[in-house]
């Protein structure tokens, strides 16, 4: 190529990129981007998108969402098999030595055609759960919006489910609370709604839903709660059963006394809702003014007598430690290996029966409504034995696990331990001084409780004073001797000097539950708290364990069909220094013939009485076990208020001999 030709080609190329008539070079085209922030605007207007941008974004989002949902819907198939509730099993409980203790068959289900379920019962469920069931398409737009709002606001994925969705979750999916499960649930609900009739879906839902007490379906629920067929239920009873779909653990009065209030409120709301949607006339609604009390639960198993209380404790602990939901546990198939020792259970039950035999409720009013709670716990937290009541089939209320009466002077060892552990301060925010067993306090009766500012006055304007058993004055006495002789007034003052906060901290670290603590007034040191017998035995076991504490537990291992279930068992922790625990034990060392009974073995023990004589305790422990016994009177048909014990066993006064006799009889049997 000549130089001339090369120059000509370059000139033509240059002219090709010039804008005709201007001599300016053409600008290469750039890809367009959204005009955001908007050009030609200033201030906040630059950041306000145009309607074109908003509309385009909305259309793009909608198209993407429809595409994703459409693909997911097309690829989602309704499973062929139902969940495992149709093949339910029983659950076996074992003693600590591995021998079978009890066998429970919780789950029961019976199909019932929709045509046999009364309309008013069917509509009670629909009114409570999904009034628009017959008009929705398997999902509810309002429900989904509400569920999303709850998810964003509260961090959970519950709520917003139609009956179709609930049925899908019950029989096809797991109970996991996740977005993926919820999304799959909605897709399956829409598909199922297109495949099955509404009546078929409702029938299957009513036959597979869990109603508590081991029952699936309305037929078994009617039998479990009212002892009748579902065909015999009225609208009032149906309204109560409908409430159980929200959770039997929240609405079954037999599970928790507080459940009854919730159940009554839900029952009223459901009946009113039936009137609102036109499925119950106002006149018929007016006839339902009394809550239809369900009958007490009856388990068709061999867990009666004392074994029923053991099953109750082990079941509750296995669910909690193994994170097993009620509905899943009721499917059965579990093997529960407990910590209960059969010889101890036999000995403890016999000891209480002998003591109960001394009562004569027919002749003496003071011997009526007498209750015995007892528990034996190992220093490492294993619950070895309990006495929960006369018979679980007749009384499901477990007296060994009930925090209903005050600990009284049985609480004072924790005051002593707190003083030894933390020292005392007799000046407001002043320095603390050490407390030792030989530290002397005033042991006289009726002495005022002192604060840095002077005597303590209660809210009624009364000066608070110490009160010794029998109104006996002991003069100046060491704390060691005061504990050994059960002198109360020194520990009432010691609690104030140590600080009630420190006393509470020591008691809690030893195993007493915060929910059982009484108000922080001087009486706190004298046991205004209401621990259960199990917790008292466990807390005293901390002294036997030289200051180490382990929360009480009743299950050591759980398997399901041979596969282990992970349990979150308690771990030991130090509650107090070992020298503090050992001093408490030394001060409680049990001499011969204490409290009118001979000591079966060298152990430490403490009586417990209350100022109003509504509870009497005896707690004793040794290297192998700590055992607490409480005797009180309470008429559960009238109230939860404890009754006075004066005249119990025909005696004008009682210093705690009855619980001490139970403890001693049991201990003797275990040392033979």
């Amino acid at each position: 190529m000549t130089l001339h030709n090369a120059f000509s080609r370059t000139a033509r190329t240059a002219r090709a990129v010039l804008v005709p008539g201007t001599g300016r070079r053409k600008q290469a085209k750039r890809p367009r981007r959204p005009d955001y922030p908007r050009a030609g605007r200033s201030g906040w207007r630059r950041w306000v998108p145009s309607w074109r941008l908003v509309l385009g974004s909305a259309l793009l989002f909608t198209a993407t969402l429809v595409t994703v949902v459409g693909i997911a819907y097309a690829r989602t198939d309704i499973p062929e098999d139902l969940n495992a509730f149709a093949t339910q099993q029983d659950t076996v409980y074992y003693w600590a030595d591995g021998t079978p203790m009890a066998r429970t068959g919780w789950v029961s289900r019976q199909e019932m055609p929709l045509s046999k379920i009364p309309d008013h019962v069917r509509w009670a469920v629909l009114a409570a759960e999904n009034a628009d069931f017959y008009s929705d398409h398997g999902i509810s737009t309002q429900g989904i919006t509400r569920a999303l709002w709850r998810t964003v606001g509260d961090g959970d994925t519950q709520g917003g489910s139609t009956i179709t969705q609930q049925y899908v979750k019950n029989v096809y999916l797991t109970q996991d609370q996740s977005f993926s499960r919820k999304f799959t649930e909605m897709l399956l609900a829409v598909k199922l709604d297109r495949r099955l009739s509404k009546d078929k879906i409702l029938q299957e839902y009513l036959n597979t839903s869990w109603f508590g007490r081991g029952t699936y379906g309305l037929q078994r629920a009617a039998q479990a709660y009212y002892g009748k067929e579902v065909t015999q239920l009225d609208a009032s009873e149906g309204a109560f059963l409908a409430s159980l779909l929200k959770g039997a653990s929240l609405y079954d009065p037999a599970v928790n006394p507080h459940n009854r209030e919730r159940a009554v409120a839900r029952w009223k709301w459901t009946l009113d809702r039936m009137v609102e949607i036109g499925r119950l006339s106002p006149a018929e609604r007016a006839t339902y003014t009394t809550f239809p009390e369900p009958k007490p639960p009856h388990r068709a198993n061999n867990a009666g007598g004392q074994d029923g209380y053991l099953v109750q404790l082990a079941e509750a602990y296995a669910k909690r430690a193994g994170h097993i939901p009620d509905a899943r546990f009721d499917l059965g198939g579990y093997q529960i290996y407990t910590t209960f020792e059969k010889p101890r259970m036999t000995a403890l039950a016999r000891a209480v029966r002998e003591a109960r035999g001394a009562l004569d409720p027919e002749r003496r009013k003071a011997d009526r409504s007498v209750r015995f709670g007892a528990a034996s716990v190992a220093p490492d937290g294993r619950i070895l034995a309990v006495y929960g009541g006369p018979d679980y089939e007749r009384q499901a209320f477990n007296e060994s696990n009930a925090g209903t009466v005050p600990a009284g002077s049985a609480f004072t060892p924790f005051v002593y331990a707190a003083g030894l552990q933390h020292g005392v301060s007799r000046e407001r925010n002043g320095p603390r001084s050490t407390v030792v067993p030989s530290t002397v306090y005033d042991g006289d009766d009726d002495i005022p409780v002192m604060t840095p500012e002077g005597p303590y006055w209660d809210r009624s304007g009364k000066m608070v004073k110490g009160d010794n058993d029998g109104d006996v004055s002991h003069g100046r006495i060491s704390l060691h001797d005061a504990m050994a002789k059960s002198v109360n007034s020194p520990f009432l003052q010691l609690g104030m000097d140590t600080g009630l906060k420190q006393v509470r901290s020591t008691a809690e670290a030893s195993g007493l539950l915060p929910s059982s603590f009484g108000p922080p007034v001087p009486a706190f040191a004298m046991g205004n708290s209401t621990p259960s017998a199990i917790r008292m035995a466990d807390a005293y076991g901390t002294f036997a364990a030289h200051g180490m504490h382990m929360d009480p537990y009743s299950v050591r291992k759980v398997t399901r069909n041979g596969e282990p279930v992970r349990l979150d068992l308690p771990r030991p922790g130090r509650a107090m220094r070992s020298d503090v625990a050992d001093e408490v034990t030394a001060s409680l060392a049990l001499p011969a013939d204490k409290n009118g009974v001979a000591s079966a073995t060298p152990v430490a023990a403490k009586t417990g009485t209350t100022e109003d004589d509504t509870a009497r305790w005896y707690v004793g422990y040794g290297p192998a076990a700590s055992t607490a016994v409480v005797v009180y009177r309470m008429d559960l048909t009238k109230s939860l208020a404890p009754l006075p014990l004066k005249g119990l066993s025909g005696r004008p006064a009682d210093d705690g001999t009855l619980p001490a006799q139970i403890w001693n009889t049991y201990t003797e049997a275990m040392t033979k």
Side-chain angles (χ1 to χ4, degrees):
M1 181 183 295
T2 64
L3 182 61
H4 173 76
N5 291 338
F7 179 81
S8 298
R9 179 172 294 182
T10 302
R12 286 195 301 269
T13 303
R15 285 195 297 271
V17 298
L18 295 178
V19 178
T22 64
R24 290 184 288 108
R25 186 181 299 274
K26 288 184 180 179
Q27 298 293 324
K29 288 186 178 181
R30 298 178 181 177
R32 297 186 64 183
R33 64 175 180 82
D35 186 19
Y36 191 82
R38 300 177 69 185
R41 301 291 194 277
S42 61
W44 61 269
R45 292 180 178 82
R46 295 188 65 220
W47 304 99
V48 177
S50 68
W51 66 268
R52 293 183 182 86
L53 180 59
V54 172
L55 179 60
S57 300
L59 291 175
L60 179 61
F61 174 80
T62 302
T64 303
L65 181 62
V66 170
T67 301
V68 171
V69 172
I71 294 173
Y73 180 85
R75 298 180 63 179
T76 300
D77 295 322
I78 298 176
E80 295 295 331
D81 299 322
L82 302 182
N83 279 340
F85 70 86
T87 57
Q88 56 270 47
Q89 307 172 62
D90 59 6
T91 291
V92 182
Y93 295 81
Y94 297 89
W95 293 104
D97 63 3
T99 57
M101 180 182 76
R103 186 181 299 272
T104 62
W106 272 89
V107 177
S108 61
R109 184 174 73 88
Q110 180 180 342
E111 292 280 348
M112 180 62 62
L114 190 65
S115 59
K116 291 188 177 182
I117 299 176
D119 282 348
H120 50 256
V121 176
R122 183 192 318 176
W123 277 102
V125 173
L126 292 175
E129 293 293 307
N130 187 185
D132 299 324
F133 169 74
Y134 279 99
S135 60
D136 67 33
H137 297 288
I139 60 175
S140 167
T141 304
Q142 292 181 347
I144 294 172
T145 303
R146 183 169 60 251
L148 289 174
W149 178 257
R150 284 170 56 87
T151 301
V152 174
D154 300 333
D156 66 70
T157 56
Q158 299 177 359
S161 295
T162 63
I163 277 180
T164 307
Q165 288 176 256
Q166 293 180 49
Y167 171 66
V168 166
K169 180 179 66 174
N170 289 343
V171 302
Y172 295 123
L173 305 175
T174 68
Q175 302 297 318
D176 295 338
Q177 299 296 331
S178 63
F179 281 105
S180 61
R181 200 275 298 159
K182 192 73 174 179
F183 184 64
T184 304
E185 171 190 302
M186 290 188 290
L187 295 178
L188 286 175
V190 174
K191 279 204 167 185
L192 200 69
D193 188 76
R194 294 170 62 89
R195 177 182 295 185
L196 303 179
S197 68
K198 287 289 188 180
D199 282 349
K200 179 64 173 178
I201 294 173
L202 181 59
Q203 173 181 291
E204 296 305 311
Y205 171 75
L206 295 177
N207 281 320
T208 57
S209 292
W210 183 68
F211 288 84
R213 299 192 181 182
T215 62
Y216 282 86
L218 268 174
Q219 168 67 359
R220 289 302 192 195
Q223 296 170 344
Y225 289 90
Y226 292 110
K228 59 178 68 172
E229 301 293 304
V230 67
T231 56
Q232 301 172 310
L233 295 176
D234 59 28
S236 178
E237 294 164 334
F240 167 73
L241 293 181
S243 70
L244 299 172
L245 293 168
K246 288 294 184 185
S249 60
L250 295 175
Y251 293 97
D252 184 356
V255 174
N256 189 310
H258 298 294
N259 284 2
R260 188 182 186 280
E261 183 178 350
R262 282 190 289 265
V264 171
R266 183 74 178 176
W267 166 75
K268 291 180 179 178
W269 177 87
T270 301
L271 291 175
D272 292 339
R273 178 67 171 152
M274 292 178 69
V275 174
E276 182 181 335
I277 65 176
R279 295 296 172 173
L280 188 67
S281 68
E284 187 177 3
R285 169 67 182 92
T287 63
Y288 298 129
T289 58
T290 303
F291 178 67
E293 294 284 354
K295 68 175 188 177
H298 174 76
R299 298 181 176 183
N301 54 50
N302 62 350
Q306 291 301 305
D307 290 353
Y309 301 110
L310 303 183
V311 168
Q312 179 192 56
L313 288 171
E315 176 188 317
Y317 191 85
K319 289 178 181 177
R320 183 171 68 253
H323 306 284
I324 307 172
D326 288 346
R328 186 180 302 171
F329 189 88
D330 279 356
L331 298 179
Y334 290 94
Q335 297 80 44
I336 312 295
Y337 297 87
T338 75
T339 61
F340 306 123
E341 298 182 0
K342 189 173 183 179
R344 288 185 177 276
M345 278 295 304
T346 301
L348 188 58
R350 183 183 297 117
V352 176
R353 282 198 305 269
E354 290 181 8
R356 192 183 289 276
L359 305 179
D360 190 352
E362 297 294 330
R363 295 177 53 192
R364 291 189 295 266
K365 183 178 179 180
D367 287 355
R368 299 170 189 169
S369 303
V370 179
R371 301 184 177 277
F372 299 84
S376 193
V377 180
D380 61 5
R382 289 174 295 119
I383 303 177
L384 305 176
V386 301
Y387 180 87
D391 190 317
Y392 184 79
E393 293 291 339
R394 292 190 286 118
Q395 177 194 295
F397 177 71
N398 189 341
E399 292 164 0
S400 72
N401 199 34
T404 52
V405 293
S409 55
F411 187 83
T412 54
F414 304 109
V415 181
Y416 188 24
L420 294 171
Q421 180 81 15
H422 300 287
V424 297
S425 175
R426 295 182 176 86
E427 299 177 4
R428 191 71 63 189
N429 299 321
R432 286 188 170 271
S433 57
T434 302
V435 169
V436 295
S438 59
T439 299
V440 174
Y441 268 73
D442 193 336
D444 283 344
D445 184 59
D446 209 32
I447 58 171
V449 175
M450 302 300 293
T451 70
E453 292 78 22
Y456 186 97
W457 301 80
D458 62 21
R459 291 186 177 181
S460 65
K462 181 181 178 182
M463 183 184 296
V464 177
K465 298 181 179 181
D467 182 23
N468 292 330
D469 291 341
D471 299 330
V472 177
S473 293
H474 297 264
R476 303 288 290 176
I477 187 172
S478 70
L479 289 175
H480 177 94
D481 290 344
M483 180 58 64
K485 297 178 180 179
S486 294
V487 183
N488 294 334
S489 54
F491 297 102
L492 188 64
Q493 185 63 55
L494 179 63
M496 297 298 291
D497 295 344
T498 303
L500 298 181
K501 182 178 180 180
Q502 282 74 20
V503 173
R504 173 177 171 141
S505 174
T506 300
E508 185 175 347
S510 299
L512 299 190
L513 293 175
S515 59
S516 69
F517 289 134
V521 295
F524 185 83
M526 285 293 104
N528 63 7
S529 302
T530 56
S532 66
I534 290 176
R535 284 287 171 173
M536 279 293 275
D538 175 67
Y540 269 68
T542 302
F543 303 133
H546 308 289
M548 295 297 293
H549 171 255
M550 178 90 85
D551 271 340
Y553 64 100
S554 55
V555 176
R556 57 185 177 85
K557 184 176 71 171
V558 175
T559 61
R560 190 171 194 272
N561 298 328
E563 294 296 323
V565 175
R566 186 179 67 85
L567 295 181
D568 290 338
L569 294 176
R571 297 180 179 180
R574 180 154 294 283
M576 62 191 71
R577 300 193 311 270
S578 60
D579 63 295
V580 170
D582 293 344
E583 164 53 25
V584 173
T585 297
S587 67
L588 296 177
L590 190 62
D593 198 33
K594 186 173 179 64
N595 293 295
V597 291
S599 171
T601 184
V603 292
K606 180 73 176 70
T607 59
T609 56
T610 60
E611 185 177 2
D612 53 3
D613 193 27
T614 56
R616 295 168 187 166
W617 291 81
Y618 196 83
V619 190
Y621 61 91
S626 171
T627 303
V629 181
V630 60
V631 178
Y632 62 101
R633 292 179 62 228
M634 183 177 292
D635 189 348
L636 292 177
T637 62
K638 296 180 179 180
S639 74
L640 293 177
L643 303 172
L645 289 168
K646 183 178 180 180
L648 183 66
S649 300
R651 302 173 183 177
D654 192 304
D655 60 358
T657 301
L658 191 59
Q661 287 177 337
I662 294 172
W663 181 90
N664 195 69
T665 301
Y666 164 71
T667 305
E668 283 183 335
M670 297 313 302
T671 53
K672 288 181 179 178

